[in-house]
Amino acid sequence: MRESEQRFRAAFHQAAVGIAHVAIDGRWLLVNQKLCDILGYIPEELQLLTFQDITHPDDLNADLKYIDQILADNIQTYSIEKRYFCKDSSIVWVHLTVSLMREPSGEPKYFISVIEDISERQAALRDRKQWEEQIQASLLEKEVLLKEIYHRVKNNLQVISSLLNLQSAYIKDEHDLAIFRQSQQRIASMALVHEKLYQSHDLARINFGEYIRDLVASLFTAYEVNEDAIALRINIEDQVFLGLDTAIPCSLIIHELVSNCLKYAFPGDRNGTIYIEIKKKNDNQITLIVSDDGIGLPANFNFKKIASLGWQLVDALTNQLSGNLNIQGTMGVECQVTFTI
């Protein structure tokens, strides 16, 4: 029994955490040296106090609530993080675990409290919270700046488009006038990308399906298309998001292909349909299809040998995307561009 008592005392007094026996009314009955080191008191000073005396008032109610539950035998033990006032009036954060010793009759005898100093952990958490708040503030600032950049780029592109429009008023040659208007439309396509990015919750990407509908609507207006004569069918997966470096070349490809459909596929009063499809494969591969059921292409058609800026742009932009371009023109025209994002 003496050896057992010696081992208990050694474990109690030499423990790496604070250990105390606490009376039911909160008085410190027995405390080890580690607890004295944490709180800055000597044992005799602590034994003149209660745990209520040195508990931070903001933490006391939670502590007392758990004590009521443990005395009512609703719980066997509890653990909380709380603050104690040290002897020098400084505050120490601790992790407290409390259990109750009872008499053989079941009457409460005293509490056993195990107290671990977690001040460094709390300081680290505060530093991390401040760091996270600084990061959030910095991200918000960059988000506002990026939105402003997109907005200004869009406005500048619209200014360029307006200048071209003013200049076109002095052009008498119909061919040159058509070139100016096509340039206007291409600039408008790029401006629309920046506008969508400005409006997007994710400033790095736009919902490309939503963009295409607006782009094609503007082309139909520009070419004064009779929608009763030329129908538009769009099949786009909901979750196709593209970044700026991909969205702009892809938008210009669609602009050129749809423009070609509107200009050449349905001569005279011929009716028809333009079909646009975008689908994802393997999560990172995009297939873009623009087709029509118009008059088709000449039998000897080779877009690489045609002196057409539109086809040259489609070819160059497909290469910019590191994609593949496939054109079929026997029954109407179908252009398929496949690229990886």
Side-chain angles (χ1 to χ4, degrees):
M1 288 181 64
R2 284 196 300 270
E3 288 177 1
S4 177
E5 184 178 354
Q6 288 172 356
R7 285 195 296 270
F8 166 76
R9 289 184 178 277
F12 184 90
H13 290 288
Q14 297 175 18
V17 294
I19 304 176
H21 291 176
V22 182
I24 302 303
D25 61 5
R27 290 176 296 108
W28 301 96
L29 300 175
L30 181 65
V31 296
N32 72 349
Q33 186 58 47
K34 182 63 178 179
L35 180 59
C36 292
D37 294 340
I38 292 172
L39 298 176
Y41 290 95
I42 61 174
E44 292 77 13
E45 291 172 330
L46 265 181
Q47 288 165 351
L48 296 174
L49 301 171
T50 66
F51 79 84
Q52 295 94 324
D53 293 332
I54 64 171
T55 296
H56 193 286
D58 292 345
D59 302 334
L60 185 57
N61 286 338
D63 213 351
L64 294 175
K65 190 179 295 185
Y66 279 119
I67 285 177
D68 288 342
Q69 291 185 53
I70 207 169
L71 288 171
D73 209 15
N74 293 331
I75 57 175
Q76 299 301 310
T77 184
Y78 72 90
S79 296
I80 60 170
E81 291 182 0
K82 60 179 287 187
R83 287 163 289 182
Y84 282 131
F85 289 111
C86 299
K87 182 178 179 180
D88 61 4
S89 299
S90 63
I91 292 175
V92 61
W93 274 96
V94 300
H95 182 271
L96 170 69
T97 302
V98 177
S99 58
L100 177 64
M101 287 293 294
R102 294 181 180 273
E103 299 284 0
S105 63
E107 284 295 310
K109 188 174 182 182
Y110 58 82
F111 297 106
I112 299 176
S113 297
V114 178
I115 298 145
E116 179 187 3
D117 183 352
I118 59 169
S119 295
E120 290 185 4
R121 187 196 311 170
Q122 287 293 328
L125 288 173
R126 285 196 302 271
D127 291 344
R128 179 175 178 178
K129 184 178 180 181
Q130 291 175 354
W131 175 73
E132 288 176 348
E133 289 173 350
Q134 290 172 357
I135 291 293
Q136 288 297 325
S138 178
L139 287 174
L140 181 60
E141 181 181 338
K142 287 177 173 59
E143 180 178 321
V144 171
L145 178 60
L146 195 54
K147 276 182 172 285
E148 181 64 19
I149 290 171
Y150 287 144
H151 186 61
R152 292 193 179 193
V153 169
K154 181 205 74 172
N155 287 346
N156 289 337
L157 288 171
Q158 287 178 335
V159 168
I160 294 171
S161 179
S162 298
L163 290 172
L164 288 175
N165 188 48
L166 290 172
Q167 186 67 41
S168 66
Y170 298 94
I171 298 174
K172 305 303 180 184
D173 185 88
E174 289 296 325
H175 177 69
D176 292 343
L177 183 60
I179 292 174
F180 261 68
R181 286 177 176 168
Q182 288 172 1
S183 297
Q184 270 186 276
Q185 292 163 6
R186 289 170 184 134
I187 291 169
S189 298
M190 291 187 287
L192 185 59
V193 171
H194 286 86
E195 182 179 356
K196 290 298 181 184
L197 282 167
Y198 173 74
Q199 296 170 349
S200 174
H201 295 296
D202 182 350
L203 294 179
R205 305 181 302 165
I206 62 171
N207 185 330
F208 205 65
E210 178 184 310
Y211 167 82
I212 287 176
R213 290 179 177 89
D214 290 347
L215 171 63
V216 175
S218 68
L219 287 174
F220 269 52
T221 301
Y223 283 96
E224 299 178 347
V225 172
N226 180 357
E227 295 184 13
D228 293 331
I230 301 177
L232 175 65
R233 290 175 54 213
I234 298 178
N235 181 24
I236 302 172
E237 293 183 5
D238 291 335
Q239 301 299 317
V240 176
F241 290 89
L242 299 181
L244 184 63
D245 290 343
T246 305
I248 286 182
C250 198
S251 69
L252 289 172
I253 289 172
I254 294 170
H255 177 278
E256 297 303 322
L257 295 177
V258 173
S259 295
N260 280 345
C261 294
L262 295 174
K263 287 189 289 186
Y264 305 118
F266 311 107
D269 295 328
R270 182 179 179 125
N271 294 349
T273 301
I274 296 174
Y275 177 76
I276 301 173
E277 178 180 4
I278 292 184
K279 55 187 177 181
K280 295 178 70 175
K281 292 182 178 179
N282 304 325
D283 293 331
N284 64 346
Q285 191 173 64
I286 299 288
T287 299
L288 163 65
I289 298 172
V290 177
S291 65
D292 63 69
D293 56 1
I295 61 174
L297 296 171
N300 59 348
F301 175 81
N302 185 341
F303 74 92
K304 291 184 178 292
K305 295 182 179 179
I306 294 178
S308 164
L309 177 60
W311 284 114
Q312 290 175 15
L313 277 174
V314 171
D315 186 35
L317 292 166
T318 301
N319 289 331
Q320 183 179 329
L321 292 169
S322 300
N324 297 313
L325 173 63
N326 182 32
I327 302 174
Q328 302 292 331
T330 52
M331 299 289 293
V333 178
E334 178 180 295
C335 300
Q336 180 173 304
V337 179
T338 303
F339 58 93
T340 301
I341 56 174

